């Protein structure tokens, strides 16, 4: 530690640049991971807020809620408890003469069921009548206000915003929560139509009557349009980023150590054990990476604060943990590579310059 | 009683056609309180001699006795320990760690060797004697060649070794400074009771030596 810190103090510029590099790399990793997580969560936010475990859909709907139709006869034998809710989903285009047009997902729910009660309001109240809706906070950031009247898919009927809700997105679109009645109207289906799906918070729930099929939530999420492809792209990107930054940092630490071989020879000649030098090298790498990481973390947090709310970004503890551990392991690997050279330093080199 | 003794030491670098016999049948001894000069032209084997006497390298054959112990075949760890405790090096500017202030050079010794160092009071005295008390907050490259030299001597003596080895200690000094350093070595040998081995081809140092050895083509001969 003594040697590691003294050397950094003496060579501020050199080590400053290395910290800068590690900071930039960690910043890149954190921001990209947070963006990827943010985008991924816009697919599933609502499902998470419902704490959904099982989704019952029409067997012929290709695991898509907006394509699924459950009729009266399909639901003849349903036994809904407080953990199940009927949901009707339909994509809608929202129009209001004074506000920007928005593509959204209309979700029809029932007042007696848990989704209605679990809505996390950030303003206003829950919808009580068929012409009232609560909408995702994205509407608010786009300038919509309580009391605004919305035309959905060009409907003559207007729906009034009575509340804004936190984290209500599905398929990367903001949700409009209304009643199942309104959903039926928008859907313009036959009168036997009941809902798109049953959502259950109970992991053991099952209902496979007639056209109904029960899907575990993971399977449902995987089938969300574009979700798997999008996540794979991001995972690959971030995976490559990790591997490449690992190599870059390791190479830098290696070069750094090799440049110090003469100092090592001097200290070895003085009888300083090689273990002391190895410890100094590793602790120095850890100090550099930790410093870079901490600055990276702070910069990421500031960036997220400053970014417009419309940018989907989610800086989770998981990202911080993976990034931190990943870079620390990198530092250790990078400083371990030249250890062999340190152990082999010939103290006689210090003489005969 | 000799504190360091080399008996029939041979050193061969390389093998086959590239083979160089740098030391041939070297016999040498030095006692505490003495300054011993090893002189000779370039390529004579002076540095090789010093690295073997200082346990930085192993001889190909022969015995190197420090105290009463043959160090010709000790382990790396034992040889580290030996250099840390019993042998001090003065190698031009190069035995100061460049990123440590002069006072931190001593701290480093404290970190790896907790006991047997000369202690703060003695160090103050030594620094005063060397005329570098006011320089301890500077880095080596902020000192002149002669100051670095003396800082290196202080560093070497701090661990309180019995034997001090110096390679070309006057290489970058003018005559005035040579006299100063020569007197200093002589005084240190007497006051601190050390054996001081100076490898040099500087004849100006001869008057400060108790014994002089002459090296030539890997062979050594005692001149006085
Ligand atoms: N590591 C080595 N490998 C091979 N040969 C070496 C090595 N070190 C020294 N030699 C050879 O050993 C001989 C003695 O070298 P040494 O460095 O001991 O001479 P020196 O007396 O210190 O010379 P100088 O006054 O120029 O420093 C030379 O012929 C040199 O080429
Ligand atoms: Mg030499």
């Amino acid at each position: 530690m003594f040697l590691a810190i003294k050397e950094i103090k003496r060579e501020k510029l050199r080590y400053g640049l290395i910290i800068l590099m590690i900071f930039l790399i960690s910043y890149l990793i954190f921001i990209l991971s947070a963006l990827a997580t943010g985008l991924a969560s816009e697919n599933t936010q609502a499902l998470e807020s419902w704490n959904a475990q099982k989704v019952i859909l029409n067997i012929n709907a290709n695991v898509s809620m907006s394509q699924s139709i459950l009729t009266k006869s399909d639901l003849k034998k349903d036994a809904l408890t407080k953990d199940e809710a009927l949901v009707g989903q339909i994509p809608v285009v929202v129009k209001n003469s004074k506000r920007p047009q928005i593509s959204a997902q209309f979700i029809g729910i029932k007042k007696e069921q848990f989704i209605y009660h679990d809505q996390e309001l950030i303003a206003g109240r829950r919808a009580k009548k068929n012409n009232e809706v609560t909408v995702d906070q994205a509407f608010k950031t786009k300038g919509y206000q309580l009391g605004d009247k919305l035309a959905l898919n060009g409907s003559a009927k207007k729906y009034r915003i009575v509340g804004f809700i936190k984290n209500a997105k599905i398929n990367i679109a903001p949700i409009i929560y209304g009643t199942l009645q309104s959903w039926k109207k928008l859907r313009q289906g036959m009168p036997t139509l009941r809902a798109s799906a049953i959502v259950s918070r109970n992991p053991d729930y099952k209902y496979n009557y007639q056209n109904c099929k029960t899907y575990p939530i993971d399977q449902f999420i995987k089938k969300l349009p574009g979700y798997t492809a999008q996540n794979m792209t991001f995972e690959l990107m971030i995976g490559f980023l990790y591997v490449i930054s690992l190599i870059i940092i390791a190479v830098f630490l290696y070069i750094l150590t090799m440049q110090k071989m003469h100092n090592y020879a001097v200290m070895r000649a003085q009888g300083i054990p090689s273990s002391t030098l190895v410890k100094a090298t590793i602790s120095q790498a850890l100090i550099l990476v930790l410093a870079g990481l901490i600055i990276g973390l702070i910069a990421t947090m500031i960036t997220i604060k400053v970014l417009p709310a419309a940018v989907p970004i989610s800086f989770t503890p998981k990202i911080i943990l993976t990034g931190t551990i990943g870079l620390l392991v990198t530092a250790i690997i990078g400083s371990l590579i030249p250890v062999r050279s340190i152990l082999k330093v010939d103290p006689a080199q210090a003489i005969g310059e | 009683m000799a504190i360091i003794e080399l008996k029939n030491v041979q050193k061969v670098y390389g093998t086959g056609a590239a083979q160089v016999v740098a030391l041939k049948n070297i016999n040498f001894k030095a006692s505490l309180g003495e300054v011993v000069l090893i002189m000779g032209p370039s390529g004579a084997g002076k540095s090789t001699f010093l690295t073997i006497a200082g346990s930085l390298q192993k001889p190909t054959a022969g015995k190197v006795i420090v105290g009463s112990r043959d160090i010709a075949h000790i382990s790396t760890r034992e040889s580290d320990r030996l250099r840390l405790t019993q042998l001090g090096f003065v190698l031009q500017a190069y035995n100061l760690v460049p990123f440590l202030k002069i006072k931190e050079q001593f701290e480093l010794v404290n970190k790896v060797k907790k006991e047997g160092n000369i202690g703060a009071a003695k160090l103050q005295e030594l620094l005063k004697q060397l005329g570098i008390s006011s320089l301890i907050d500077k880095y080596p490259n902020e000192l002149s060649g002669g100051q670095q030299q003396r800082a290196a001597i202080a560093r070497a003596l701090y661990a309180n070794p019995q034997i001090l080895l110096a390679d070309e200690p006057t290489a970058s000094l003018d005559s005035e400074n040579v006299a100063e350093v020569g007197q200093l070595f002589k005084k240190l040998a007497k006051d601190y009771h050390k054996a001081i081995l100076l490898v040099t081809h500087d004849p100006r140092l001869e008057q400060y030596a108790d014994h002089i050895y002459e090296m030539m083509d890997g062979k050594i001969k005692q001149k006085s």
Side-chain angles (χ1 to χ4, degrees):
Chain A
M1 231 19 175
F2 173 79
L3 285 172
I5 290 171
K6 295 291 174 193
E7 194 172 12
I8 294 173
K9 267 189 164 165
R10 179 62 176 152
E11 303 266 0
K12 290 198 188 67
L13 178 67
R14 174 190 296 193
Y15 290 101
L17 287 173
I18 289 174
I19 292 176
L20 175 73
M21 181 195 77
I22 292 166
F23 149 61
L24 289 174
I25 287 176
S26 62
Y27 184 57
L28 186 65
I29 288 179
F30 285 146
I31 291 284
L32 272 187
S33 309
L35 280 171
T37 312
L39 200 56
S41 89
E42 295 215 331
N43 283 292
T44 58
Q45 252 178 24
L47 298 166
E48 271 155 33
S49 76
W50 301 344
N51 198 10
Q53 302 293 328
K54 288 276 163 65
V55 180
I56 291 84
L57 300 170
N58 188 304
I59 195 164
N60 298 314
N62 193 22
V63 207
S64 159
M65 196 187 280
S66 54
Q67 314 251 335
S68 170
I69 288 174
L70 301 181
T71 61
K72 227 171 222 149
S73 69
D74 291 327
L75 295 177
K76 204 159 69 193
K77 298 217 166 155
D78 68 350
L80 302 185
T81 70
K82 63 174 179 16
D83 286 329
E84 282 77 45
L86 288 170
V87 168
Q89 183 187 6
I90 179 171
V92 288
V93 174
V94 181
K95 270 195 180 146
N96 175 301
S97 52
K98 284 177 289 179
R99 314 272 185 234
Q101 183 172 315
I102 294 181
S103 290
Q105 293 285 342
F106 187 94
I107 301 272
I109 47 177
K110 289 181 94 167
K111 251 188 280 190
E112 310 80 58
Q113 293 175 339
F114 75 88
I115 294 180
Y116 178 86
H117 297 287
D118 285 358
Q119 292 180 61
E120 220 182 308
L121 287 161
I122 49 176
R125 57 169 177 83
R126 297 190 172 85
K128 289 191 185 126
K129 299 187 223 141
N130 276 334
N131 67 341
E132 292 179 343
V133 290
T134 50
V135 298
D136 177 57
Q137 60 200 356
F139 280 85
K140 202 168 179 220
T141 47
K142 292 216 166 121
Y144 282 78
Q145 288 171 359
L146 291 178
D148 280 356
K149 296 218 166 92
L150 314 175
L152 302 181
N153 289 346
S155 63
K157 187 176 158 134
K158 296 287 196 311
Y159 299 84
R160 196 159 61 87
I161 299 179
V162 295
F164 288 109
I165 302 176
K166 204 176 155 188
N167 291 341
K169 291 204 182 61
I170 194 160
N171 301 4
I172 326 187
I175 287 178
I176 301 175
Y177 283 114
T179 60
L180 261 181
Q181 244 84 49
S182 307
W183 169 74
K184 269 182 228 171
K185 196 159 265 157
L186 289 163
R187 184 85 216 209
Q188 295 168 341
M190 56 259 186
T192 53
L193 198 56
R194 285 284 310 276
S196 302
I198 304 173
V199 171
S200 177
R201 299 189 286 196
N202 175 3
D204 299 324
Y205 186 77
K206 224 194 258 165
Y207 182 72
N208 292 327
Y209 184 70
Q210 281 199 8
N211 288 323
C212 294
K213 184 163 163 43
T214 310
Y215 298 95
I217 192 70
D218 292 342
Q219 192 183 346
F220 176 76
I221 288 175
K222 264 193 209 128
K223 283 284 208 162
L224 286 173
Y227 181 82
T228 303
Q230 188 193 75
N231 267 19
M232 244 164 58
T233 308
F234 274 115
E235 271 161 24
L236 265 178
M237 249 169 65
I238 292 169
F240 273 118
L241 189 62
Y242 266 104
V243 172
I244 291 171
S245 14
L246 187 137
I247 295 171
I248 293 177
I249 294 177
V251 165
F252 263 80
L253 291 175
Y254 178 75
I255 294 173
L256 196 67
T257 307
M258 295 313 281
Q259 282 180 337
K260 297 193 292 203
M261 280 306 165
H262 188 80
N263 296 351
Y264 290 141
V266 167
M267 287 188 265
R268 295 286 294 115
Q270 293 182 351
I272 310 290
S274 10
S275 61
T276 305
L277 303 181
V278 170
K279 271 186 230 152
T281 310
I282 294 175
S283 57
Q284 193 176 59
L286 288 178
I287 292 171
L288 295 174
V289 169
L290 265 181
L293 261 173
I294 289 168
I295 305 173
L297 265 175
I298 296 170
T300 308
M301 285 172 182
I302 294 174
T303 310
I304 290 174
K305 274 254 150 60
V306 174
L307 275 180
V311 179
I313 195 159
S314 163
F315 195 37
T316 60
K318 192 180 149 202
I319 298 174
I320 299 178
L321 212 67
T322 340
T324 306
I325 293 175
L327 286 175
L328 286 180
V329 169
T330 303
I332 293 172
I333 295 174
S335 51
L336 279 180
I337 295 171
V339 158
R340 240 169 58 92
S341 320
I342 299 176
L343 293 178
K344 280 200 312 198
V345 167
D346 180 7
Q349 273 173 13
I351 289 196
E353 280 298 314
Chain B
M1 241 307 268
I3 183 74
I4 180 162
E5 190 168 359
L6 276 71
K7 283 186 178 165
N8 303 321
V9 166
Q10 196 196 14
K11 178 69 184 177
V12 182
Y13 289 117
T15 51
Q19 192 168 330
V20 179
V21 184
L23 296 182
K24 295 169 190 161
N25 198 30
I26 298 287
N27 285 291
F28 171 90
K29 62 172 95 171
S31 301
L32 295 174
E34 286 182 353
V35 175
V36 180
L37 230 57
I38 297 103
M39 306 200 51
S42 182
K46 302 185 298 295
S47 297
T48 306
F49 171 86
L50 201 74
T51 55
I52 286 174
S55 193
L56 292 169
Q57 285 197 83
K58 301 248 158 12
T60 312
K63 285 185 175 170
V64 179
I65 296 157
V66 171
S68 53
R69 173 163 169 236
D70 184 4
I71 61 158
H73 303 289
I74 56 175
S75 70
T76 310
R77 180 179 293 200
E78 284 175 302
S79 129
D80 284 350
R81 195 72 205 156
L82 188 74
R83 292 198 303 275
L84 200 53
T85 55
Q86 293 204 57
L87 302 164
F89 287 94
V90 182
L91 316 165
Q92 283 290 133
Y94 294 106
N95 71 330
L96 296 172
V97 182
F99 57 82
L100 295 181
K101 292 176 179 169
I102 301 307
K103 64 174 182 198
E104 293 166 349
Q105 311 272 342
F106 307 116
E107 261 179 75
L108 174 61
V109 178
N110 281 340
K111 298 268 171 203
V112 289
K113 175 174 176 257
K114 307 244 183 299
E115 281 155 28
N117 303 320
I118 61 174
K122 271 252 181 81
L123 176 63
Q124 285 311 319
E125 195 186 307
L126 177 65
L127 292 173
K128 208 185 272 165
Q129 201 174 357
L130 293 167
I132 52 170
S133 309
S134 58
L135 304 175
I136 56 165
D137 279 314
K138 294 200 186 279
Y139 289 99
N141 67 354
E142 294 168 346
L143 305 185
S144 74
Q147 290 168 336
Q148 287 183 24
Q149 185 91 66
R150 280 171 278 158
I153 293 171
R155 158 64 188 83
L157 289 175
Y158 181 67
N160 203 14
Q162 291 180 300
I163 304 161
L164 196 66
L165 304 148
D167 195 18
E168 303 287 0
T170 54
S172 62
L173 302 182
D174 57 26
S175 294
E176 207 171 306
N177 277 315
V178 169
E180 207 173 292
V181 169
Q183 265 150 14
L184 180 66
F185 277 126
K186 192 163 180 171
K187 195 163 161 14
L188 290 174
K190 303 284 175 281
D191 291 1
Y192 292 86
H193 205 56
K194 311 282 178 204
I196 299 186
L197 275 56
L198 305 179
V199 158
T200 185
H201 46 230
D202 189 343
R204 295 172 296 182
L205 278 174
E206 284 181 15
Q207 54 181 304
Y208 308 102
D210 296 293
H211 297 288
I212 299 174
Y213 285 80
E214 180 81 39
M215 281 197 85
M216 182 69 87
D217 291 334
K219 289 190 214 124
I220 200 162
K221 215 168 58 196
Q222 187 163 4
K223 260 176 57 180
S224 69

